Amino acid sequence: MSNVGLAEKFNNLTLESEDHWDYRGTNNSERDYVHGFCTYPAMMVPKMQREMLQVCLSEMPIPRSQLLDPFAGSGTILVEGMLQGLDVVGIDINPLAVLLCKVKTTIINVEMLKQHTAQLVTNIEQANNIPDYQFKGIEKWFTAQAISDLSKIRTAITQDENIEIRRFFWATFCEIVRMVSNSRDCTYKLHIKDAKDIKTYDKDAIALFKETLTFNVSKYNEFYSVLKQRGHIKRDGISYKGSVKVILSDCIVYLQHTKKKFDLIFTSPPYGDNHTTVSYGQYSVIPLRWINSKDIDESINENLLDTLYEIDNISLGGMSSNMYITRNKKNIVKKTETLKEQITTITEIAPKQVNKLISFYSDFDSFLSTISKKMKPTSVSVWTLGNRKVAKQEIYMNKIMIELGTRYNLSLLTSFTRKILNKRMPKINAYTGDEKDIQGTMTREHILIFVRSDPVNE
Ligand SMILES: C[S@@+](CC[C@H](N)C(=O)[O-])C[C@H]1O[C@@H](n2cnc3c(N)ncnc32)[C@H](O)[C@@H]1O
């Protein structure tokens, strides 16, 4: 790998046109192949990650590289890695993310998928006297009609004996659960709709499910065909030639225990406050309550779904006990001058928000320390970062990352900024409740590319 060549390629593209990385236009921002299976907060733009991955690979002589996304979310990077024939590893703490990653990366015989889909549709249409499914809070989040329709679909899915196909159906089902729920769809947080909007509920969950399923099967077929065309599927027709690993875990915990090292890391970490910025957990709990969680992963802790907040609490930055904060504050401000200054400012204007910053960046620092030991001396890492606002102050995660990175032998090769055009995130990043603050938040993303400056001492 030539680092100079790599930097030059990225810089040439950045200079090519002012909006090269913005990925405007329907074709550019399209979620092709399996990328659009189910909405997930803060999804990356697949085609942009594809281009960046291709640039990295063009400078990499290794025929089969190990690609890791430690915050895999909906699996964008894993899918892109498979399209390039790489060995991919994805980790996420959120079971919904893990379901999506597994569904998108599992090779299923398309004819078999179509047969099971036809059977599922018949079973739903013939479903009679299906008891309404129950969980805590179901009546708040769904109308009686939605509960009845979703219960029929749910029961029919559980009747399929193939777990990989059930997962495919669950992923489609999760999207429909979100669509017909009483939660407003303009935010990733759970907010109940106005009563008058709930009363006028007219969505047909079964029709939506069938339509979405047909679409997803055709998209899966496209993905499968291109993998096959590129020679990434084995002769048996049901196995990927490389390896795929999807792990439900805190990535720090997993990485501390694995012996693996990675050639490429592509990721977008969370933004820094799960409860008020982009609530991955809250977004996922209601769909997850509808599905058989053991179908996602045998190791799942079902208590995670007891409250709307548990997943966010265990995610990066979710810990805010006084003991944790006191222990970590001194450490983290010693490591990054930018964060130190920002903490001083926030302490003056919004002291209550300070603990969240400390909690997030302490976790992020542990993560960087851990992941740097999992890189090879030639590893490249590509980070897509969003600078959120706290009390109207932009928190410069891009700068903080560079300062922390240098402590762990990560040296910045190049970076650029892009405008976010398609995400729901800018509109909903409410911190103060002030509309202006919401509008002005996270309209840009920072892409940082790092190489190793020298081997880490183990
Ligand atoms: C910005 S999202 C990733 C989105 C993804 N790039 C995509 O295209 O869908 C960040 C992800 O980090 C996950 N996450 C947060 N804390 C984590 C942790 N400690 N370990 C693993 N995953 C974590 C969240 O659940 C979320 O899915």
Side-chain angles (χ1 to χ4, degrees), residues 109-346:
N109 176 293
V110 179
E111 282 319 304
M112 185 170 88
L113 179 62
K114 286 181 181 164
Q115 282 164 19
H116 282 246
T117 301
Q119 185 62 54
L120 176 75
V121 170
T122 310
N123 290 351
I124 295 170
E125 281 165 356
Q126 293 175 353
N128 270 324
N129 303 323
I130 302 294
D132 281 351
Y133 187 58
Q134 288 296 324
F135 58 77
K136 196 174 131 215
I138 196 166
E139 272 110 12
K140 174 178 175 185
W141 295 109
F142 299 90
T143 63
Q145 183 61 51
I147 296 173
S148 162
D149 291 347
L150 293 173
S151 300
K152 285 183 189 162
I153 305 172
R154 182 186 186 282
T155 304
I157 295 176
T158 58
Q159 284 162 357
D160 197 300
E161 282 173 1
N162 182 321
I163 185 162
E164 291 177 346
I165 291 188
R166 276 206 305 278
R167 284 192 189 125
F168 190 98
F169 295 157
W170 287 132
T172 309
F173 183 62
C174 283
E175 185 75 343
I176 306 306
V177 168
R178 291 269 322 159
M179 282 160 94
V180 304
S181 85
N182 295 339
S183 174
R184 293 183 200 178
D185 47 17
C186 56
T187 118
Y188 288 125
K189 289 177 68 178
L190 283 171
H191 281 304
I192 200 85
K193 282 181 186 153
D194 290 341
K196 67 173 177 5
D197 295 331
I198 295 175
K199 262 196 185 148
T200 55
Y201 169 91
D202 63 350
K203 286 185 184 148
D204 180 341
I206 293 180
L208 282 171
F209 179 75
K210 287 198 274 188
E211 193 185 309
T212 311
L213 192 56
T214 308
F215 178 79
N216 285 355
V217 172
S218 78
K219 285 293 181 188
Y220 183 77
N221 193 12
E222 274 173 40
F223 182 51
Y224 183 95
S225 306
V226 76
L227 287 181
K228 197 164 175 207
Q229 207 180 56
R230 294 183 186 181
H232 301 326
I233 293 191
K234 286 188 187 163
R235 280 216 185 132
D236 64 6
I238 48 163
S239 328
Y240 176 59
K241 272 198 186 158
S243 69
V244 176
K245 209 167 161 60
V246 176
I247 302 130
L248 173 64
S249 169
D250 179 328
C251 60
I252 304 177
V253 175
Y254 176 80
L255 291 169
Q256 277 168 348
H257 290 95
T258 184
K259 289 201 169 77
K260 264 183 196 281
K261 294 209 173 191
F262 302 90
D263 302 292
L264 278 168
I265 292 157
F266 268 63
T267 198
S268 69
Y271 300 93
D273 185 345
N274 313 319
H275 293 297
T276 50
T277 310
V278 182
S279 327
Y280 308 97
Q282 244 188 81
Y283 180 86
S284 313
V285 169
I286 298 294
L288 285 171
R289 282 186 182 168
W290 271 98
I291 74 180
N292 274 356
S293 39
K294 292 284 176 201
D295 273 2
I296 299 178
D297 199 286
E298 275 298 322
S299 73
I300 198 168
N301 169 5
E302 285 168 351
N303 296 341
L304 269 188
L305 307 181
D306 284 352
T307 76
L308 300 180
Y309 311 109
E310 205 42 39
I311 299 176
D312 289 322
N313 286 343
I314 60 162
S315 297
L316 217 68
M319 196 140 45
S320 55
S321 74
N322 286 343
M323 217 171 77
Y324 181 86
I325 300 296
T326 320
R327 202 174 55 222
N328 287 292
K329 184 174 176 183
K330 266 198 205 140
N331 267 340
I332 190 69
V333 294
K334 266 195 258 158
K335 294 181 181 174
T336 140
E337 204 46 45
T338 301
L339 183 64
K340 186 179 170 185
E341 282 167 21
Q342 298 213 270
I343 285 181
T344 310
T345 312
I346 305 291

Side-chain angles (χ1 to χ4, degrees), residues 306-409:
D306 284 352
T307 76
L308 300 180
Y309 311 109
E310 205 42 39
I311 299 176
D312 289 322
N313 286 343
I314 60 162
S315 297
L316 217 68
M319 196 140 45
S320 55
S321 74
N322 286 343
M323 217 171 77
Y324 181 86
I325 300 296
T326 320
R327 202 174 55 222
N328 287 292
K329 184 174 176 183
K330 266 198 205 140
N331 267 340
I332 190 69
V333 294
K334 266 195 258 158
K335 294 181 181 174
T336 140
E337 204 46 45
T338 301
L339 183 64
K340 186 179 170 185
E341 282 167 21
Q342 298 213 270
I343 285 181
T344 310
T345 312
I346 305 291
T347 307
E348 280 163 20
I349 58 176
K352 285 191 185 149
Q353 317 294 3
V354 170
N355 283 3
K356 288 175 185 162
L357 276 178
I358 296 169
S359 165
F360 177 74
Y361 282 104
S362 303
D363 281 1
F364 190 58
D365 180 54
S366 313
F367 163 73
L368 287 176
S369 152
T370 308
I371 199 158
S372 65
K373 299 188 184 90
K374 300 296 151 192
M375 296 179 186
K376 299 177 185 172
T378 51
S379 294
V380 173
S381 57
V382 177
W383 305 74
T384 302
L385 305 178
N387 288 353
R388 74 187 182 97
K389 282 192 176 183
V390 172
K392 299 188 182 174
Q393 303 293 309
E394 179 173 352
I395 305 297
Y396 301 115
M397 187 175 188
N398 55 334
K399 292 189 188 164
I400 298 169
M401 161 95 208
I402 296 170
E403 290 166 15
L404 291 176
T406 50
R407 305 184 71 91
Y408 304 112
N409 298 322

